[in-house]
Amino acid sequence: MASKIALLGGGSAYFETVLAEIATTEALAGSEMVLYDIDAERAEIMAQLGRRICAAAGTGMSVSSTTVVEAALDGAAYGVSSIGPHGPNVAWHDEDM
């Protein structure tokens, strides 16, 4: 079933794997993926990668990017989030939920 999928924090390299997983899910063929990030350049780089992945998968998905969270979420059936600080002075750690 074609759906809109919002990828929040979509400029993150983490989404390379997510894009590939979604693009190869036949049940989501024809869906639209929208990458949201506050960094327009990073989001568009990932969107370009996503378009190449989707073309190779042949499932008819589209990929776009935006810096407007409302545009990403409007009409989305699904959301995937990977939002957090990044940069040279950020210490990472895992948390158990």
Side-chain angles (χ1 to χ4, degrees):
M1 173 198 297
S3 300
K4 181 176 179 181
I5 304 161
L7 304 175
L8 307 174
S12 169
Y14 160 79
F15 278 105
E16 179 178 358
T17 303
V18 175
L19 289 164
E21 297 259 347
I22 294 171
T24 57
T25 302
E26 289 184 31
L28 295 171
S31 291
E32 168 190 14
M33 289 188 272
V34 180
L35 287 90
Y36 161 77
D37 202 285
I38 60 172
D39 186 326
E41 183 178 355
R42 288 175 57 101
E44 184 51 31
I45 288 168
M46 292 306 294
Q48 290 173 9
L49 175 63
R51 287 189 281 273
R52 289 193 306 268
I53 291 169
C54 288
T59 51
M61 292 186 183
S62 65
V63 182
S64 62
S65 66
T66 184
T67 58
V68 180
V69 70
E70 293 86 358
L73 293 173
D74 185 38
Y78 304 100
V80 179
S81 177
S82 176
I83 297 176
H86 65 278
N89 298 319
V90 175
W92 291 96
H93 64 279
D94 291 331
E95 294 183 36
D96 291 332
M97 297 288 200

